Amino acid sequence: GSSRRAAELASAACTCAQMALLIDKECKVAQAGGAELQSTIALDLDRLYGVLQTQADRICPGLPLNEALVETGLAPLFPTVLLRLQLPAVTALPPDQTPPLQFHDYLQHLAHMHQALAMSTQIQGDLPEKTHKYMAHQIALLYQSVSYSTLDMRDLKKKIEPQFDNIKKVTESADPPKLNDEQISFMHELTTEAIARVSDLGRAPAKRVVPWFTTLS
């Protein structure tokens, strides 16, 4: 059934992910001249190749491995795996379609999105509190989160910059350290926008993970 196929596809994706990480490592080791480690990595890749072949046969019986990876949507997600196995390249993407993030970039992008979401959610939870002693530190972390170029949130970064010094002054010198209504409103609007952007798959930055979610969901 569909649930069994989804489980098998997830297993094949995990195998591809392991291979992609090993391929990255293999390139670095080769540049550093570590022949013995490179040989060990090659053996691991050969073993995983056999595992992937078996998994692909279960998902797409009778199809060659490269066609099975195209059929399942895994090929464009793991182009280095096809390249390393010397399999025929995937059909070119339409000119208006951006290539999916590579596996390592996908993991990093998810981490950046999670950081922005976590800090925005934490700030919103702390805004109703009676004191905002740590708010400047939290805003600094949020600023760092929205500064990642791949998140395309530079406009939010620019909104924080003129407000930060005043907020920091309040949290360090006021007794009790509490933001005024205008500052609270500003922070609520800012964090609401950040949460919306990382949660909406139709907009950047969340849009960049859609090919992964679509294939693996």
Side-chain angles (χ1 to χ4, degrees), residues 86-103:
Q86 297 182 329
L87 297 172
V90 187
T91 306
L93 291 167
D96 60 337
Q97 188 173 337
T98 305
L101 292 168
Q102 299 280 297
F103 180 59

Side-chain angles (χ1 to χ4, degrees), residues 16-71:
C16 286
Q18 291 177 66
M19 295 181 77
L21 292 174
L22 280 172
I23 290 164
D24 286 347
K25 188 174 183 180
E26 185 180 45
C27 292
K28 291 174 184 174
V29 169
Q31 291 171 359
E36 186 175 343
L37 182 53
Q38 193 175 351
S39 177
T40 302
I41 293 172
L43 288 172
D44 286 340
L45 284 170
D46 285 344
R47 178 183 60 80
L48 288 170
Y49 170 62
V51 172
L52 182 60
Q53 183 72 65
T54 301
Q55 292 168 330
D57 285 342
R58 282 202 295 263
I59 301 170
C60 302
L63 282 184
L65 179 57
N66 66 305
E67 292 183 22
L69 293 177
V70 171
E71 177 68 24

Side-chain angles (χ1 to χ4, degrees), residues 96-112:
D96 60 337
Q97 188 173 337
T98 305
L101 292 168
Q102 299 280 297
F103 180 59
H104 178 271
D105 295 332
Y106 166 67
L107 292 182
Q108 191 173 61
H109 195 65
L110 278 185
H112 291 166

Side-chain angles (χ1 to χ4, degrees), residues 113 116-117 120-121 124 127 142 146 151-157 159-160 185-200 203-206:
M113 285 173 58
L117 177 63
S120 296
T121 304
Q124 285 203 352
L127 284 175
L142 178 62
V146 299
L151 293 190
D152 196 23
M153 291 188 182
R154 287 178 291 275
D155 59 317
L156 299 190
K157 175 186 170 184
K159 286 182 180 179
I160 294 173
S185 176
F186 165 76
M187 288 309 305
H188 188 270
E189 289 177 11
L190 181 81
T191 51
T192 297
E193 178 63 19
I195 291 170
R197 291 196 194 181
V198 297
S199 304
D200 185 352
R203 304 169 63 187

